[in-house]
Each structure stands twice: as structure tokens, then as C-alpha cells.
Amino acid sequence: ICEAAAIGITPTVSAITGIGAAALFHLAAALHDPYPVDSGEYQITPEALVIGAPEMKNGRASLGSAPGLGVEINDELLRAMAIG
């Protein structure tokens, strides 16, 4: 809607997870004339719960080529984190 009205937007991440970041960066990549993206406190940890999460390097995000958001849940790590 904003693009149709020639209103620029700054995509902002509200979830600092790999899934939230993937959704945000895919949205930004689909915009014709995006403003800078605010990736907030998004960081990748060595033991990522999300496999294929976007990588940040030199202020730019790179997206994977897998279908959908391009991410998978690390089931092994998720099981290890489960309580009970």
C-alpha cells in the first residue's frame, strides 16, 4: 500500500530471532525502493536454533536460496533446550 502511494518505509525487526529477521529481510528485498532496514539487536549465535538464518556482514544481510523464508528449525538443539 505504501509503495502504491509513493510512501517510503523503513522495515524494522521486532523479533530478534533468525525467523523474524528472515521475514524482515525478505520484505525489504521485495520493496522497489527500500529505506535502510533497522535490524535491531539481531545477532547470530554459534549454536543457532534457526538453520539458514540471514547473515549480516558489513551492514548488509544475505538471504539463503531455500524455499519460503529459507530457514529451518534446528530440531536437535530445540530438543536439547526443552524443559521436562
Side-chain angles (χ1 to χ4, degrees), residues 7-83:
I7 299 170
I9 64 168
T10 298
T12 304
V13 68
S14 59
I16 56 172
T17 65
I19 296 170
L24 170 80
F25 296 140
H26 276 278
L27 169 64
L31 297 173
H32 291 119
D33 192 20
Y35 285 34
V37 174
D38 178 0
S39 61
E41 298 177 22
Y42 172 64
Q43 297 177 2
I44 298 174
T45 59
E47 288 189 312
L49 181 59
V50 178
I51 300 167
E55 295 182 19
M56 298 288 293
K57 186 174 182 179
N58 298 323
R60 297 194 179 268
S62 62
L63 301 172
S65 59
L69 294 177
V71 298
E72 295 178 40
I73 299 296
N74 182 338
D75 291 329
E76 186 175 316
L77 182 58
L78 183 60
R79 280 189 209 92
M81 295 171 61
I83 298 173

